[in-house]
Amino acid sequence: FEVLKIAGVRPNSDITPFNLMNEVEENEDMDIGVRQNSVSMRTMARVAFFLGDVSVLSEDGRSRTVQDGINLESGDRILTEDKSQTEIALGQYSRVDMDNFSELVVDKIDEQETEKLLTQLFQKTGICWYQIVYARKNELFKLVTPLGDISVAGKGADFTVDVSYAKVVIENN
């Protein structure tokens, strides 16, 4: 039943059409029981929405079809062109708004680093607005730019970063 809870099934949901036998292959082993530890909810990065010409390139250079809701993986590059923008959702509450002519690389998503789960982005060019809100105490967000790194401490931060040739401008919102 823990799986059903994680899937969003409420205690008053009608699950009578659900037949477990239809979900199991013949002679397949299946463990049934209660988990000793809670299920971890990993931070997800995804394209929340986009306008105009936005590209996502995977780590191996292949172009991915961009649509609202696609998940981003470590190594993905997001590029916005003229008169384009996109919003990247990070976990439950954080987001990054990319303006036109911006390039952002997803370096790490929820990777264990010391006692924190690190999400790290590399902003190569353009203007991005970051709204970082931690849902868990063990999260850490780090932004890398060509000229410096920014680590967000406390409960989060709200800031804009403008990266252009040989300069980085950071504004606290």
Side-chain angles (χ1 to χ4, degrees):
F1 293 108
E2 292 297 314
V3 172
L4 296 175
K5 286 181 192 175
I6 296 302
V9 176
R10 295 190 173 103
N12 59 351
S13 296
D14 179 18
I15 59 170
T16 52
F18 179 75
N19 184 349
L20 186 58
M21 294 306 292
N22 292 337
E23 306 300 319
V24 179
E25 298 289 326
E26 188 174 334
N27 296 325
E28 182 179 8
D29 288 337
M30 187 169 137
D31 293 327
I32 299 175
V34 176
R35 292 184 54 87
Q36 297 302 316
N37 299 319
S38 62
V39 176
S40 67
M41 298 302 286
R42 200 171 169 264
T43 298
M44 298 297 291
R46 64 180 174 80
V47 174
F49 72 85
F50 69 99
L51 301 169
D53 192 12
V54 176
S55 303
V56 175
L57 302 174
S58 63
E59 190 170 27
D60 63 7
R62 288 183 293 139
S63 181
R64 297 179 52 201
T65 303
V66 179
Q67 60 188 22
D68 292 349
I70 68 163
N71 287 333
L72 300 170
E73 304 291 331
S74 292
D76 283 349
R77 287 179 41 207
I78 305 100
L79 301 114
T80 58
E81 299 298 331
D82 187 32
K83 299 178 184 171
S84 301
Q85 62 182 8
T86 187
E87 180 176 298
I88 307 301
L90 297 171
Q92 292 178 310
Y93 308 112
S94 297
R95 70 183 206 191
V96 179
D97 290 347
M98 296 176 63
D99 207 356
N100 59 307
F101 296 118
S102 296
E103 181 177 349
L104 195 67
V105 179
V106 179
D107 283 340
K108 300 176 181 179
I109 303 172
D110 247 8
E111 289 190 19
Q112 189 72 43
E113 200 161 291
T114 60
E115 296 177 11
K116 300 282 186 176
L117 294 173
L118 176 66
T119 297
Q120 178 175 301
L121 303 178
F122 172 63
Q123 183 178 335
K124 186 174 181 180
T125 59
I127 299 172
C128 294
W129 172 57
Y130 295 84
Q131 184 179 41
I132 306 302
V133 179
Y134 292 135
R136 301 168 292 178
K137 291 181 181 183
N138 66 336
E139 289 180 289
L140 176 63
F141 177 82
K142 186 175 186 180
L143 175 65
V144 177
T145 72
L147 297 177
D149 300 353
I150 301 165
S151 294
V152 176
K155 294 182 179 181
D158 185 347
F159 58 96
T160 303
V161 176
D162 180 358
V163 177
S164 56
Y165 184 71
K167 77 172 186 177
V168 175
V169 178
I170 302 167
E171 295 179 11
N172 193 9
N173 296 334

